[in-house]
Amino acid sequence: RRCAERLLPSRSRTMVVPDSSSRLSLANFEDCLHRSFPPCMRQLVFSQRAGQHLKHLGRLQLRPFLREAGMSLQEALVWWSKELCRDPSITPRDFEQRYRYDIEHAWGARGHMRGSFCCSCSKIATFRPQYSGQVHGCPLHQMAPHELSRELRVLGLPREDIGRIVGHSVHGRARTACASFFASTHPGVDPAALPSTIYHPNMFFRLSRQLLKAARGTCAVARPTDVQRGPALA
C-alpha cells in the first residue's frame, strides 16, 4: 500500500483497502489482463489465444502467476480448459488427462500440497530462448528491437515511451524497460521510482491494481490496450 501511495501524484494519495477488485478472477480477468498484467504474462496469454497452446515452459511460467494473483483453483480449471482447448489439437478429454493434474499441483491440491510460486524477473530472464513455436520468458529481454517497437505501437504507447522502453531493452535493462512500460500504462507514475520496485511479475500486478483503485475517482487512467491487439504483448 505504501508503494502505491508513494507513486501516486500527491493530490491522488488515498488509503488503498484490499477488496475483490484487487484479486484476479474469471469475472475481472479481461480487465486485469489489459491493464495490470506485465509484458511477460500478457505475451503468454495472447500467444495462446492465437490458437496454439503454450508448451511446458510457458505453462510453468503462467500457472503460478495466476495463482499468486488470486485466481482460485476452480476458476483456474475453468480458465485453462477454455484457453488450452482453443488449440484444435486439444480436446476436453486431453485437458483432463494431460493438463488438469499440473494445474491442481500448482494450486497445492496435489503432490507436495504447497502450491507453486511464480519465478522472479531475474529468473525468467534466464529462460532459454524461444524456439519451435514455444513462447516463454521475458519479451523485453528476448525480443529484437524492431519487433518490440511494433508490439508497443500496437498497444498505442507514445513514441517517446516506446523509444525509452526499447532503449533499455537493447542495453540489457529489462527490469528498467518493464518499469518504463508500467509508467507508460499508468499515468502519473514516476518511472525513476520503479526499477527497484518491480522485480517480480506479481509485484507488477499488485501494484497496478492498487494504483488503479487508488486513482479511481481522482484521475483518469488511460487504457492503451483498448486499441487493436497484436499477437504477442497485446
Side-chain angles (χ1 to χ4, degrees), residues 121-122 125-126 138-143 145 148 164-178 195:
C121 296
S122 58
T126 68
C138 172
L140 300 176
H141 179 74
Q142 296 174 334
M143 273 189 174
L148 181 56
R164 183 180 303 110
I165 294 167
V166 173
H168 288 313
S169 175
V170 166
H171 289 92
R173 299 189 294 266
R175 287 202 318 180
T176 308
C178 192

Side-chain angles (χ1 to χ4, degrees), residues 7 49-50 58 60 78 181 183 187 193:
L7 296 173
R49 287 184 173 182
L60 193 67
V78 171
F181 178 88

Side-chain angles (χ1 to χ4, degrees), residues 71-132:
M71 182 177 279
S72 70
L73 173 57
Q74 290 306 312
E75 290 174 322
L77 290 170
V78 171
W79 187 85
W80 277 103
S81 177
K82 176 182 177 181
E83 297 297 325
L84 285 168
C85 289
R86 291 177 186 270
D87 187 331
S89 69
I90 297 181
T91 66
R93 182 172 181 176
D94 292 329
F95 172 78
E96 292 294 327
Q97 293 180 343
R98 295 163 51 192
Y99 301 104
R100 184 185 183 102
Y101 179 90
D102 288 339
I103 297 167
E104 292 176 338
H105 189 280
W107 263 257
R110 298 273 191 169
H112 52 58
M113 310 294 285
R114 293 192 299 269
S116 301
F117 294 92
C118 183
C119 294
S120 67
C121 296
S122 58
K123 177 65 175 178
I124 290 173
T126 68
F127 282 17
R128 64 192 181 195
Q130 300 178 16
Y131 67 97
S132 301

Side-chain angles (χ1 to χ4, degrees), residues 10-212:
S10 57
R11 68 177 184 279
S12 302
R13 289 183 181 177
T14 183
M15 180 174 291
V16 180
V17 180
D19 64 10
S20 59
S21 66
S22 298
R23 180 186 76 83
L24 180 65
S25 67
L26 289 178
N28 68 5
F29 185 89
E30 296 303 319
D31 180 69
C32 289
L33 172 63
H34 292 295
R35 305 178 81 177
S36 299
F37 273 37
C40 58
M41 301 302 168
R42 296 166 64 91
Q43 170 186 244
L44 298 174
V45 174
F46 284 114
S47 294
Q48 185 160 253
R49 287 184 173 182
Q52 187 173 19
H53 71 279
L54 292 174
K55 303 301 190 291
H56 174 69
L57 267 181
R59 299 194 306 273
L60 193 67
Q61 181 178 342
L62 182 57
R63 283 192 303 258
F65 169 80
L66 299 179
R67 184 185 77 83
E68 290 193 65
M71 182 177 279
S72 70
L73 173 57
Q74 290 306 312
E75 290 174 322
L77 290 170
V78 171
W79 187 85
W80 277 103
S81 177
K82 176 182 177 181
E83 297 297 325
L84 285 168
C85 289
R86 291 177 186 270
D87 187 331
S89 69
I90 297 181
T91 66
R93 182 172 181 176
D94 292 329
F95 172 78
E96 292 294 327
Q97 293 180 343
R98 295 163 51 192
Y99 301 104
R100 184 185 183 102
Y101 179 90
D102 288 339
I103 297 167
E104 292 176 338
H105 189 280
W107 263 257
R110 298 273 191 169
H112 52 58
M113 310 294 285
R114 293 192 299 269
S116 301
F117 294 92
C118 183
C119 294
S120 67
C121 296
S122 58
K123 177 65 175 178
I124 290 173
T126 68
F127 282 17
R128 64 192 181 195
Q130 300 178 16
Y131 67 97
S132 301
Q134 298 197 18
V135 179
H136 52 259
C138 172
L140 300 176
H141 179 74
Q142 296 174 334
M143 273 189 174
H146 68 280
E147 294 175 331
L148 181 56
S149 294
R150 182 182 66 241
E151 294 298 335
L152 296 174
R153 286 197 300 271
V154 169
L155 295 183
L157 270 61
R159 180 176 299 180
E160 180 180 352
D161 291 354
I162 292 174
R164 183 180 303 110
I165 294 167
V166 173
H168 288 313
S169 175
V170 166
H171 289 92
R173 299 189 294 266
R175 287 202 318 180
T176 308
C178 192
S180 293
F181 178 88
F182 187 104
S184 184
T185 54
H186 295 75
V189 177
D190 179 5
L194 292 173
S196 62
T197 303
I198 299 178
Y199 54 86
H200 191 283
N202 287 101
M203 174 62 75
F204 186 110
F205 177 83
R206 288 192 294 268
L207 184 58
S208 171
R209 300 315 290 176
Q210 291 169 355
L211 283 169
L212 291 173

